[in-house]
Amino acid sequence: MKSKFLISTTNNIEGTPIKRYIGALCSNIVIGTNVFSDFAASFTDFFGGRSDSYKRKLEIIYDEASKELKQKALNIGANCIIGFKVDFDEISGKDKSMFMVSVSGTACVVDYPDNDNENDFKAEIITQSDLDKEIYRRFIVDSINNNVTLSHAWVEFLLENPQVEIIPKLLERYSSCCDSLPFAEETKDLEKVLLAFPKEKLIPIIYSDDLSNHKSYIAIIKNGGYFDAKSILNFLDIDIHVAIILLEARTNYYTKEDLSYMKQIIDKLDNLPNTGKIELTKGGLLGKEQMKFICEKGHRNDPEAEFCNCGVNLKGLTKTEVDIINRFKIKTKVLDEVLG
């Protein structure tokens, strides 16, 4: 049951003893309202009834805040949040209005029973709306798996109901669209949907061997904050140049485990084999032998030259790549001092 995670408003989970309390966590999400939703809400309020536009926004920010709180807990080694509380508020000023939701709870580690049979539960009743939602979900999943163009109308549903099983297809289509139609509406929608997936679901798929052939995935990793030191360390043996680009990616949180892998990355980069060489060469039949820096492409340079005229150094790295590595070293050093 290592993958199980519960969020409870109670201070304990029945039948699951708490092994360790880690600490209190809080998450706040703010989202703006636009003119149309404000008008729709006020129109409904004037005549009575429910304001679906506000309701939808509240549901979205509640889900986002809960996901962020859960991710914070996962990053510090928790598998449960107890004492969960949620508070909604509206912030107004300068003719602008925003919703804010604050969620909090205590992160802890609990012992889940091995004989949990929650997956054996079958519903004995289902509402019409839930049935319609499931039919619509299956229609979208089947359409994407059959390479149907992502409809703009499906985006909101997928943002609120991420479908992990279609991540490979979404990535494949996103790469294809970036190559042929980089500014198309579908390309933007695909990126938006992909960025909605939680880190632990997308990372194992996007850091694949095909990353070298799908450079567009790098944009997803950078824009989504999907930095993963362990995956980048492994990718150094597949494509060092792509791996170095990924060192610029970020993540919301860093752990001591991340730091350990980051140090291993630096150690590997510091011990890269030479792709070029420095050796004695003759400058013609009667020329004297001179030391020359010969790059991996066979170009000859003065031995003092750090980079060849073609742009690479003795290790086969460009100046841009060396700068990225140096910034990564500074980042790792600061992390080491803070987390150490």
Side-chain angles (χ1 to χ4, degrees):
M1 300 301 295
K2 288 183 178 180
S3 62
K4 186 172 181 178
F5 192 101
L6 288 179
I7 299 178
S8 174
T9 57
T10 61
N11 292 324
N12 54 67
I13 308 295
E14 186 177 354
T16 55
I18 296 175
K19 293 174 60 177
R20 178 164 56 97
Y21 292 93
I22 297 180
L25 297 176
C26 181
S27 178
N28 302 294
I29 296 290
V30 178
I31 187 172
T33 60
N34 55 44
V35 175
F36 299 105
S37 61
D38 285 344
F39 175 78
S42 60
F43 189 85
T44 305
D45 290 339
F46 181 81
F47 289 99
R50 295 167 57 185
S51 175
D52 288 337
S53 60
Y54 271 15
K55 177 176 177 289
R56 186 163 57 252
K57 284 184 179 293
L58 289 172
E59 289 175 347
I60 292 172
I61 57 178
Y62 169 77
D63 288 342
E64 287 299 314
S66 299
K67 288 177 185 176
E68 186 175 296
L69 191 71
K70 177 183 175 181
Q71 189 60 54
K72 284 183 178 181
L74 287 169
N75 289 335
I76 57 177
N79 64 355
C80 180
I81 293 176
I82 59 173
F84 179 74
K85 295 180 181 178
V86 58
D87 180 55
F88 290 98
D89 200 3
E90 184 178 1
I91 305 172
S92 302
K94 295 183 179 180
D95 299 325
K96 294 183 179 179
S97 180
M98 293 181 289
F99 283 126
M100 180 178 75
V101 61
S102 300
V103 293
S104 61
T106 301
C108 57
V109 178
V110 301
D111 264 338
Y112 290 114
D114 294 330
N115 60 343
D116 195 327
N117 295 321
E118 65 175 358
N119 292 327
D120 296 335
F121 173 78
K122 297 292 182 181
E124 295 182 359
I125 187 172
I126 185 172
T127 64
Q128 181 63 52
S129 61
D130 286 340
L131 178 60
D132 292 340
K133 180 179 178 181
E134 177 60 17
I135 293 172
Y136 189 50
R137 184 195 72 80
R138 295 188 183 193
F139 167 72
I140 293 175
V141 170
D142 289 343
S143 298
I144 291 174
N145 284 332
N146 289 313
N147 298 314
V148 176
T149 301
L150 178 70
S151 168
H152 189 66
W154 301 344
V155 174
E156 185 174 351
F157 179 87
L158 291 173
L159 290 176
E160 295 181 11
N161 308 275
Q163 304 298 309
V164 177
E165 68 268 31
I166 60 173
I167 290 179
K169 275 292 184 182
L170 291 173
L171 283 170
E172 181 183 311
R173 185 154 189 86
Y174 176 73
S175 179
S176 176
C177 287
C178 282
D179 292 339
S180 56
L181 300 167
F183 305 107
E185 192 68 30
E186 185 187 5
T187 309
K188 298 175 185 177
D189 285 342
L190 283 164
E191 181 170 343
K192 189 184 297 184
V193 172
L194 285 167
L195 292 176
F197 286 102
K199 179 178 178 180
E200 68 274 12
K201 300 296 183 184
L202 189 64
I203 282 178
I205 301 173
I206 200 168
Y207 280 95
S208 63
D209 294 350
D210 288 338
L211 186 57
S212 298
N213 300 321
H214 299 283
K215 300 296 176 65
S216 57
Y217 292 0
I218 296 173
I220 297 294
I221 293 173
K222 285 187 173 182
N223 296 340
Y226 294 118
F227 171 83
D228 187 71
K230 182 179 179 181
S231 297
I232 295 175
L233 176 64
N234 294 332
F235 206 79
L236 280 171
D237 295 325
I238 300 172
D239 190 326
I240 186 171
H241 300 290
V242 171
I244 290 174
I245 294 173
L246 294 174
L247 295 180
E248 292 191 296
R250 297 172 174 241
T251 183
N252 291 331
Y253 310 99
Y254 296 87
T255 65
K256 287 188 176 182
E257 184 180 14
D258 293 326
L259 179 60
S260 174
Y261 287 120
M262 290 167 75
K263 288 180 178 179
Q264 292 179 58
I265 290 172
I266 292 174
D267 184 63
K268 201 160 191 173
L269 290 171
D270 286 342
N271 292 282
L272 287 176
N274 294 338
T275 60
K277 55 187 176 181
I278 295 178
E279 63 179 25
L280 280 170
T281 61
K282 272 191 175 183
L285 290 175
L286 302 176
K288 293 182 179 180
E289 287 189 334
Q290 293 180 327
M291 295 294 293
K292 290 290 183 179
F293 157 40
I294 305 174
C295 79
E296 60 186 23
K297 298 177 182 178
H299 304 146
R300 297 185 179 188
N301 306 270
D302 291 334
E304 296 83 11
E306 185 179 356
F307 294 93
C308 174
N309 291 330
C310 68
V312 299
N313 64 5
L314 195 61
K315 303 286 185 181
L317 304 178
T318 65
K319 187 178 185 307
T320 299
E321 291 173 333
V322 171
D323 290 340
I324 291 173
I325 292 170
N326 288 334
R327 289 195 293 270
F328 183 75
K329 287 181 177 180
I330 294 172
K331 179 179 179 179
T332 304
K333 181 181 178 182
V334 173
L335 271 175
D336 192 22
E337 293 173 357
V338 174
L339 293 178

